[in-house]
Amino acid sequence: MAQWKVKVDQDVCIGDAICASLCPDVFEMNDEGKSQPKVEIIGEDLIDCAREAAEACPVSCIYIEEI
């Protein structure tokens, strides 16, 4: 089963929250109003929504890397 690592660049994130809206199983908003992964490693069950969230991010600060 394939796995991916999910990262959010906190310095670039503007707190739009579209990622948390589109993929709440992977992304959440922290106390500073920025996105962060709920889990750093995801499987095939979550990759589609994570990719959708990354593509929707207005500042492209979400990175998904296959491991």
Side-chain angles (χ1 to χ4, degrees):
M1 184 173 171
Q3 291 187 316
W4 292 264
K5 185 171 186 168
V6 179
K7 293 187 270 185
V8 176
D9 186 336
Q10 297 285 305
D11 294 330
V12 178
C13 180
I14 59 171
D16 184 75
I18 190 71
C19 57
S21 296
L22 289 173
C23 196
D25 290 335
V26 177
F27 301 99
E28 65 186 357
M29 304 307 287
N30 65 21
D31 292 338
E32 296 173 2
K34 306 237 178 168
S35 174
Q36 65 185 24
K38 283 185 174 180
V39 291
E40 288 190 14
I41 306 296
I42 60 170
E44 294 174 355
D45 57 328
L46 295 173
I47 188 60
D48 288 338
C49 80
R51 283 184 177 145
E52 182 181 359
E55 290 171 9
C57 178
V59 293
S60 302
C61 69
I62 298 170
Y63 301 94
I64 301 170
E65 174 185 350
E66 190 168 2
I67 54 173

